[in-house]
Amino acid sequence: MKRPSGFTPPPEGRRPVRGSAAGGADDASPDASEAASPRRSTSDTSRSTSRAGSGSGKSSRGDSLSAGDKKPRGAEASSSAHSSTPGARAKKTGSSSKESRAARPGSSASSAGTRTPQPGDDDARASSGFLPSVRQARRERKRVERAEVKRFTARSRRRRRTWLIAGGSVVGIGVLAAALAFSPILSVRTIEVDGAVRVSSDAVVQGLQPIVGSPFPLVDQSAIKAELVKYPLIESYSVESRPPDTLVVKLVERTPVGVIDTGEGFTVVDAAGVVIEASNTQPTGYPLIEVPDGVTSEGFQSAAGVLRAMPDELRQKVASVTAKTHDDVTLKLRDTDATVLWGSADDGAFKTLALERLMAATDPATVAQYDVSSRKTVVVREQP
């Protein structure tokens, strides 16, 4: 077959796409139109021109007609579908692609003809191989963010962990100590009494037997007090726990300060007037307290306060104490006729020191009176 002059064969493997006379542009595939290259369009145009010049009556997609010629319907569609220029063909192809996309079910187009992206488009493209997996990218981003958060919060997490460990240790130790304290392991099995001189320690231990077997935190303090108040000679007491099984009761007995003549006998009393012991004869080693109204008077409180403030060595040198009011306490020394004008019970430490120095500096046998009632001036009055 003889080819017309000016005809250029298409590249090998590519065939020109021709539209039918009835409507080739609508039947042509958009993908095939988009795949066409400028070289292919030029070949098609040349081929159509050659056929037109040879006098063929058939219309092709490359035919060009004058403005005054009347185009057949099929030729007009073919000419519009296959333009002689690449730009026109690309425009038509793009328009056909948009129309085909808009015609797909489930798609939506805006007023300008553009398609609104749908939520599953990225995943669909990723599955087709056009885009990387969006899920993988999100997972990678979250992994990097978590790593950065861990790196920047490492110090605070270590500090919080340290505090939690310390708090847990303290709580654990407290729970363990409470468990041991309230368990039978740390309970009272032995009772010891310290400081008992006039009070029988065996009697005290026997009276406290009901608390034996109780855990140390559950020892009934009121029961101990109720037992010890039965002994008037006990002035105060304290309780000490000595694990694992010993309870120590420390007693402070009343300190006798003098003797009172009741007319029927003599009673040894402490500074509060509590009778420590009674006797028909005057006990030795204690001064005689001479007051007009007994242990409830103001004079007795002053005299007993003075004797209690004295050291034992000086108290044993006092034969008697007289007092009618708060400010006229007078002492009489043993084995001499010397007296001490003490005054009130205030400043007992200063008056005691002054009297000891005066007695050391002078012979009490030659002194009629030591006056230490005034803090500013002390006076020694000798016998005539």
Side-chain angles (χ1 to χ4, degrees):
M1 180 179 180
K2 186 177 180 179
R3 297 177 180 177
S5 61
F7 174 76
T8 304
E12 187 175 336
R14 296 184 180 181
R15 297 181 61 86
V17 179
R18 299 180 181 182
S20 63
D26 296 333
D27 296 336
S29 173
D31 296 337
S33 301
E34 292 176 359
S37 62
R39 182 177 178 180
R40 182 177 178 182
S41 300
T42 305
S43 301
D44 294 343
T45 304
S46 301
R47 187 174 179 180
S48 300
T49 305
S50 175
R51 289 183 179 182
S54 62
S56 176
K58 296 180 180 181
S59 61
S60 65
R61 59 181 178 176
D63 294 337
S64 58
L65 299 178
S66 61
D69 296 339
K70 184 177 180 180
K71 295 182 181 181
R73 187 174 183 179
E76 181 179 0
S78 175
S79 176
S80 62
H82 302 280
S83 177
S84 61
T85 61
R89 186 177 181 182
K91 291 180 180 179
K92 182 61 180 177
T93 304
S95 175
S96 300
S97 300
K98 291 180 181 179
E99 291 175 0
S100 63
R101 291 193 190 102
R104 293 177 184 176
S107 63
S108 59
S110 63
S111 60
T114 59
R115 181 175 176 272
T116 303
Q118 299 298 323
D121 290 352
D122 292 339
D123 295 340
R125 290 186 178 183
S127 62
S128 302
F130 290 99
L131 292 176
S133 176
V134 177
R135 294 181 180 178
Q136 293 180 359
R138 290 175 180 174
R139 286 196 295 267
E140 183 66 19
R141 185 184 63 183
K142 290 181 179 180
R143 185 185 66 80
V144 173
E145 289 177 353
R146 286 195 297 267
E148 291 297 317
V149 170
K150 289 182 179 180
R151 184 168 68 87
F152 283 104
T153 60
R155 180 177 299 178
S156 62
R157 286 187 286 108
R158 284 196 301 269
R159 187 183 303 111
R160 184 167 55 252
R161 183 168 56 252
T162 302
W163 280 106
L164 289 176
I165 293 173
S169 301
V170 172
V171 172
I173 293 173
V175 171
L176 180 60
L180 291 176
F182 287 92
S183 66
I185 299 175
L186 298 178
S187 60
V188 179
R189 294 185 179 89
T190 305
I191 298 177
E192 295 182 0
V193 178
D194 292 343
V197 177
R198 293 183 175 87
V199 177
S200 174
S201 59
D202 295 337
V204 174
V205 171
Q206 187 64 31
L208 296 177
Q209 285 300 311
I211 66 174
V212 174
S214 302
F216 286 112
L218 299 180
V219 171
D220 191 357
Q221 299 294 330
S222 61
I224 297 176
K225 181 178 180 180
E227 179 62 26
L228 296 181
V229 295
K230 298 178 182 178
Y231 302 91
L233 298 181
I234 298 176
E235 183 175 4
S236 62
Y237 70 94
S238 62
V239 180
E240 179 182 349
S241 300
R242 291 181 184 176
D245 58 359
T246 304
L247 184 70
V248 180
V249 180
K250 296 183 178 181
L251 304 179
V252 178
E253 294 184 347
R254 296 185 180 275
T255 304
V257 294
V259 179
I260 294 180
D261 186 1
T262 61
E264 297 178 356
F266 297 90
T267 56
V268 179
V269 295
D270 68 343
V274 177
V275 177
I276 297 176
E277 61 179 75
S279 176
N280 294 326
T281 60
Q282 182 176 353
T284 60
Y286 299 104
L288 180 63
I289 301 176
E290 299 177 352
V291 290
D293 298 327
V295 295
T296 59
S297 64
E298 184 179 4
F300 174 81
Q301 299 295 331
S302 298
V306 170
L307 293 174
R308 181 164 183 158
M310 287 184 179
D312 293 340
E313 184 179 357
L314 182 59
R315 188 187 303 117
Q316 293 177 359
K317 296 179 180 180
V318 178
S320 63
V321 180
T322 59
K324 294 180 180 180
T325 63
H326 178 73
D327 299 325
D328 63 347
V329 178
T330 304
L331 311 178
K332 186 177 184 306
L333 300 180
R334 292 183 186 274
D335 303 330
T336 63
D337 295 332
T339 60
V340 179
L341 183 58
W342 194 272
S344 66
D346 301 334
D347 299 327
F350 169 77
K351 295 177 180 180
T352 299
L353 180 60
L355 180 59
E356 290 178 345
R357 291 184 177 181
L358 291 176
M359 292 176 64
T362 60
D363 185 5
T366 62
V367 175
Q369 188 181 54
Y370 296 102
D371 187 354
V372 293
S373 58
S374 176
R375 185 181 180 88
K376 297 179 180 179
T377 304
V378 294
V379 180
V380 178
R381 298 183 176 90
E382 296 182 355
Q383 294 180 0

